[in-house]
Structures are given as structure tokens and as C-alpha cells.
Amino acid sequence: MVATGSGTQSGKAFYVTTPIYYVNDAPHLGHAYTTVAGDVLTRWHRQRGERVWFLTGTDEHGQKVLRTAESKGVSPQEWCDKLVEEAWKPLWRHLEIANDDFLRTTEKRHTDRVREFVQDLYDKGEIYKGGYEGPYCVGCEEYKLPGELLEGTGENAGKQLCPIHKRPVEILKEENYFFRLSEYADKLLAHYEANPGFIQPEPARNEVLSFVRQGLQDLSISRSTFDWGVPVPWDDEHVIYVWVDALLNYATAVGYNQNQETFDATFPADVHLIGKDILRFHAVIWPALLMANGLPLPGRVVANGWLLVGGEKMSKSNLTGISPRQITSHFGVDAFRWYLLRAIAYGQDGSFSWEDLAARYTSELANDYGNLASRVAAMVGKYFDGVLPAASADGDAERAVHDGLAKAVAEADRKIGDDVEFQAGLQAIFDFVKQVNGYISEQEPWKVAKDDSPQARARLATVLYTAAESLRAVAVLLHPFMPASSQRLWESLGAEPALGPLAGQRVQEAGQWGRLPAGSTVTKGAALFPRLEEQPGA
Ligand code: MSP
């Protein structure tokens, strides 16, 4: 689970976070989506040679988790311990998530620091006591504005529903502590203005802008009707509101008030990856809390869209949660990691579909990519006894491949590394794979092989070297998405030990032509992506 940053060890780390997930149930596809995105983004930056820190974790306090535990007849702590150890952490290991840390909000390293942060705000006069009555959604753990609610129908007729969970809200009336959020509207707007890339994508930014422009209400930051939470330091009748507790994980996990050196070398996050359902917490409340405490603001908040099932957000409470293991047992972990980022533009909603997954798997992974790898290895085996020949007769066709690679690397690096647009980055990489397939079809090495003349042998060597060298680069570019198959391809190209371990390869160097040494031993291993009918359980 632990990965270390590579490259320069000085300066601030590139710090990426996922939301910390509620442990009211086992993870489903929607949770895995954001986590895989975070893993790919951090692996990409590691391959750029940057020092990287990738944080994920679990959000364990609050009414939502408490009620689930009560319904199961166990204490909330027991419930969380079991789920985290038996469901969440094992799934991330299974999906090859290389997080550097996993924070649980019930850990002392977190709760102590949360109390200190809130005490600090209190001492600064940012918190006061007041009363509030309003509609509350336990699913969101949030007071709703009356204008946002939906009118219930059927069994919920006459009730008002949360627009996300489609469940009746509860009217809560409490005497609470409040954070002076209303005073931050102008400062937030100034920040959005000065940093147009702060909220991504554009529709998410627009939503936040229009929300904040209407003015902000102060935020209730404590609860007194239940006690599953971090006690308010100056009043233990109250626990800290679960969202304030949760947001602070991004600071407490990296040394806030504990290890200044680590904190300065990591905080703030460069990218907070979140789902669009929790945008306001990250783009409004979180920066306001940081401003209030004089801490630096994150670089970017990047919201992914919803995975939909039947047009609704996939969720366990709607009984539409799909377990990632259902997918990996059939298609493998690599295809799982690749598919959602390939099929859906990051930031937009998308429907999960088994048919689409099967079709893309077959056409792009098994046919375009996997077949290319096995054909090239087979031909080097057949025509050169598995020893990669040198290219000695580069012509226009080869130069077009070299240019195609350089273009693919630059485009993928910009789209994935800079813009957090995975789909466009993958498009560039797979366009290159298509180009190499086209090159082989045109060059017809199997025909060239029929001629024994020295010119024909040189031509054959050049075509096969060009294809193998292209695959070397593709293995590097796809490694953040599909670590296991890239590794197998790398080994089959015989690049190791001549080129060193795949994990140490730099994105920037992927496009430098000629890095795969002639003389490497090329072996044809098992198919990178077996045909679906050949997979167990098909
Ligand atoms: N605990 C809060 C987050 C606190 S962060 C300081 C929370 N947890 S959650 O378990 O509900 O998970 C939220 C995240 O899971 C979403 O923001 C999103 O990233 C991911 N997703 C959950 N369901 C999803 C979909 N159906 N589609 C896409 N992403 C989804 O909110």
C-alpha cells in the first residue's frame, strides 16, 4: 500500500487527496471511481519524477454511521473497525491503490488536532453560540436550504425530500456553535476570481460562484443530540459537526500542529479529488475554514460527475451500488482501473454499462493493444529467435511513428498531469496504439520475411524494432492506469534489466526514441488481455 515518491526529494510534495468515505457500508463502484482517479494522477506525477503524497481514508463519525451501527446492534467503533479492515482497506489493496497514508477520523492523531483547530477558531472569535432550526439530511449530513428540497410523492407524499438521496429530510432544532462563514463570501469570491482554475470543471465552478454570490449563512459546527464525534474542547455537551471533523483530515494527516516540517512539505493539497455531491464543502466551507485559521488554500478542487444507474446516482442507499469485485473478477483489475476513466469524461456524469465495458475491453484492450503486443513478440521470436534486432533503415513511415509518439506523450502529459482529464490523455495514448497497428498492417512484415536478401532483412528488423520500441513507450504511458499489464509487457520486451524497472521510468523520457536496446530478449508471454470467453467465469 505504501509507495514512495521518486525523483527530487526537496520542495513541496505534489499532494493529492480523495474524499474520506463514510463507513456506513462497503465501498461500491462510485467510491472506487474517485480513488482510482487519485491513484492514476499520483502515479503519473511520480513518473514525472515529482515527490508525491496521496491520501485517502474513512469518515467515521456522525449520525449516518452511528445509525447504521445501531441498526446492526454494534458500537459505532466496532462497526467502523470491522468495515475498514475487512472491506475498505482490502479493496484498495486489491485495486492496487498506492496511497501513502490512510486516515481514519477516529484516530487520536486526528481527533486531537481537530480539537486544537476548532479551539483556535474559537479563540479567534470565529465561532459563537446560537440556535438553528431547519431541514437536515442525514445521508448528506447537511442542513438543506428550503428551496433545494423536492416534494415527495407516493409513500413520501406530503414530505420534503433531499434532492440527492430522495429521502425525507428531518427538521432539526438545535442550540449549536456556529462558524462565521457568512463573513467569507467576498474573500472566497475574490479567491475564485484570482484563481480561475481553483474549481474544475467549469460547470462546477459556475455552480459554486452562483451559490456564493447569493451570500452565505453561518455554519452550525456542533451537534448536541448525539455523542458519536469529537467533543468540542470548551463544551463537552457538543460534538464537532462531522463535516468540519472530516475536512480537517487533509491537514491532520500531514502533520498539522504536530510536525511543522512535514506539514510545510506537503500542505496544502495540490488537487482535492471529490464527487460533485460534496463540492460546496470543499470549494466553500473548507477554504473558508483555512482562511479563518490563516492556513494556505488548496491548489484545485476537481469534481467528478456521478456514475449513474437508471439515470440516478449509483449508491448503496438506492440499492444501486455495484461492487468493484464483481467487475474485477470478470475483467481483471487493470481493465477496471482503465474503463471508467476511459469511458467517461472526468467531471461529467456517465452511466455504467456492462455491455460498454465488454465492448471496449474487446476492441481497445484485447484487440488493439493486447494483440499488437503479442503479434510483435511472436514475430521477433519467429524471425529473429527472440533477439530484438536494430533498426537500420528508417524511412518516412518510421519517422511518422516517431512523431506520433512524441505527440502522444506531450498530449497525454498535458491532459493527465496538468489538466486532470484522463479520458483525453488515454485517447492520445490509444490513438498512438492505433497508429502503430496501422503501421504494421501497411508494412506487412510477414511478407517482408519471405525475402532473405540483406535489404529485406534490414527492413524487417526496422519494422519490428519500431513496433517494439513503440510498445516500450506505451508500457510507460499506461503504467499509471494499468500497472500489472504494463509490467508484463515491459518484461516481455526484455527491457529489464537493460532499461531498469518500469516503475522508475519517466513520462518525459517515454517519447525519446530508441531507448529499448537492440539485443534485448523478447518473449511472448500470456495474452495481456485474454479474450472474454477465455476468462474464468465467462
Ligand atoms: N464522508 C464524506 C466525504 C468527506 S471528505 C472530507 C462523503 N462520503 S461518501 O462515502 O458519501 O463518499 C463520497 C464520494 O464518493 C463522492 O464525493 C464521490 O467522490 C464518490 N462517489 C460515491 N458515489 C458516487 C457515484 N455514484 N458516482 C461518482 N462518485 C461517487 O461524502
Side-chain angles (χ1 to χ4, degrees):
M1 193 175 81
V2 172
T4 47
S6 48
T8 66
Q9 294 297 310
S10 60
K12 186 189 163 307
F14 184 78
Y15 177 27
V16 177
T17 69
T18 72
I20 49 171
Y21 303 99
Y22 289 127
V23 274
N24 55 317
D25 216 325
H28 63 66
L29 194 56
H31 307 120
Y33 181 38
T34 315
T35 306
V36 166
D39 191 57
V40 169
L41 184 65
T42 52
R43 283 175 185 262
W44 193 273
H45 280 263
R46 283 194 184 99
Q47 286 198 190
R48 276 182 169 184
E50 295 168 21
R51 199 165 65 83
V52 172
W53 197 255
F54 179 32
L55 174 69
T56 190
T58 41
D59 190 354
E60 306 189 1
H61 291 127
Q63 243 167 325
K64 182 170 169 133
V65 173
L66 176 62
R67 284 188 186 173
T68 312
E70 280 170 348
S71 75
K72 307 281 176 189
V74 292
S75 74
Q77 188 68 63
E78 280 172 306
W79 174 254
C80 293
D81 289 350
K82 188 173 156 61
L83 261 153
V84 168
E85 293 307 327
E86 293 178 10
W88 289 83
K89 286 185 175 175
L91 179 67
W92 297 157
R93 277 195 294 273
H94 173 63
L95 296 179
E96 302 218 38
I97 304 300
N99 50 308
D100 297 285
D101 193 5
F102 186 103
L103 185 125
R104 300 182 53 185
T105 54
T106 48
E107 289 175 78
K108 193 167 154 44
R109 63 166 170 153
H110 173 74
T111 53
D112 283 356
R113 305 286 92 74
V114 168
R115 284 162 66 87
E116 289 160 14
F117 185 98
V118 172
Q119 179 73 55
D120 232 36
L121 286 187
Y122 189 61
D123 295 345
K124 288 183 169 130
E126 295 282 350
I127 290 175
Y128 64 93
K129 199 169 188 179
Y132 194 78
E133 179 171 3
Y136 192 83
C137 170
V138 175
C140 296
E141 291 279 16
E142 184 184 21
Y143 277 109
K144 295 286 166 184
L145 300 173
E148 299 180 291
L149 301 177
L150 306 175
E151 290 301 328
T153 53
E155 60 171 327
N156 288 323
K159 295 182 181 159
Q160 296 199 294
L161 311 183
C162 162
I164 294 175
H165 291 88
K166 310 276 166 28
R167 297 257 192 95
V169 290
E170 302 169 22
I171 302 299
L172 287 196
K173 184 174 180 191
E174 284 189 280
E175 170 89 334
N176 288 329
Y177 290 97
F178 283 79
F179 166 55
R180 299 186 192 281
L181 180 63
S182 59
E183 294 187 3
Y184 288 87
D186 290 343
K187 287 179 201 141
L188 287 166
L189 288 170
H191 186 75
Y192 306 146
E193 182 89 4
N195 300 276
F198 181 65
I199 303 164
Q200 202 179 309
E202 198 61 26
R205 174 181 153 82
N206 292 339
E207 185 203 311
V208 170
L209 282 178
S210 65
F211 176 71
V212 177
R213 279 187 189 133
Q214 291 165 24
L216 296 171
Q217 296 189 358
D218 286 348
L219 177 74
S220 158
I221 58 127
S222 73
R223 295 287 182 272
S224 56
T225 50
F226 61 92
D227 64 0
W228 179 235
V230 182
V232 168
W234 61 90
D235 182 348
D236 59 14
E237 295 291 301
H238 289 249
V239 291
I240 295 168
Y241 173 39
V242 62
W243 264 104
V244 172
D245 171 355
L247 287 164
L248 284 170
N249 91 90
Y250 303 131
T252 62
V254 293
Y256 167 73
N257 249 14
Q258 180 73 3
N259 185 333
Q260 196 61 37
E261 206 180 316
T262 307
F263 190 66
D264 292 341
T266 320
F267 196 84
D270 294 82
V271 180
H272 286 305
L273 292 176
I274 58 160
K276 67 175 184 179
D277 46 338
I278 56 175
L279 180 60
R280 288 182 198 170
F281 294 102
H282 286 82
V284 180
I285 296 175
W286 176 228
L289 285 170
L290 291 172
M291 284 176 182
N293 238 352
L295 292 171
L297 305 195
R300 261 189 289 179
V301 175
V302 180
N304 60 252
W306 285 346
L307 295 183
L308 306 173
V309 173
E312 296 282 325
K313 176 176 178 245
M314 177 186 298
S315 79
K316 275 277 162 70
S317 52
N318 289 340
L319 301 177
T320 52
I322 295 174
S323 156
R325 287 182 197 263
Q326 275 175 273
I327 300 173
T328 59
S329 65
H330 196 64
F331 293 92
V333 168
D334 274 9
F336 174 85
R337 292 172 54 101
W338 162 86
Y339 171 67
L340 294 173
L341 300 175
R342 173 73 187 100
I344 304 168
Y346 205 68
Q348 290 176 20
D349 291 351
S351 293
F352 172 77
S353 137
W354 289 97
E355 291 75 22
D356 184 50
L357 168 51
R360 284 179 190 272
Y361 177 98
T362 300
S363 75
E364 290 198 359
L365 294 187
N367 292 350
D368 289 356
Y369 176 37
N371 249 351
L372 173 65
S374 59
R375 278 161 82 206
V376 170
M379 286 191 280
V380 175
K382 188 165 170 197
Y383 305 134
F384 292 94
D385 293 328
V387 179
L388 185 70
S392 57
D394 283 349
D396 285 350
E398 286 68 37
R399 279 188 284 277
V401 174
H402 306 174
D403 290 351
L405 174 62
K407 227 177 82 198
V409 172
E411 176 77 354
D413 193 28
R414 190 158 51 83
K415 288 295 175 192
I416 300 163
D418 298 339
D419 300 344
V420 195
E421 287 183 18
F422 303 102
Q423 190 187 47
L426 280 170
Q427 184 71 49
I429 300 168
F430 277 86
D431 281 350
F432 177 65
V433 169
K434 268 198 189 329
Q435 181 183 358
V436 179
N437 271 316
Y439 165 79
I440 293 194
S441 306
E442 278 162 26
Q443 301 307 316
E444 301 182 307
W446 48 90
K447 284 196 183 154
V448 183
K450 294 193 175 128
D451 181 345
D452 271 345
S453 70
Q455 293 88 330
R457 288 294 287 172
R459 187 73 214 129
L460 182 62
T462 300
V463 173
L464 293 183
Y465 181 85
T466 302
E469 168 62 352
S470 298
L471 283 166
R472 188 268 318 158
V474 170
V476 175
L477 296 175
L478 289 179
H479 186 229
F481 295 88
M482 301 191 282
S485 54
S486 300
Q487 181 65 37
R488 281 197 287 128
L489 173 58
W490 191 256
E491 285 163 15
S492 97
L493 291 170
E496 205 179 9
L499 261 184
L502 174 57
Q505 299 301 307
R506 296 278 178 267
V507 169
Q508 301 87 320
E509 293 158 0
Q512 288 173 6
W513 193 259
R515 296 182 70 86
L516 182 62
S520 297
T521 308
V522 175
T523 44
K524 184 171 175 297
L528 288 185
F529 298 96
R531 302 206 167 279
L532 290 176
E533 54 279 15
E534 290 163 14
Q535 294 212 344

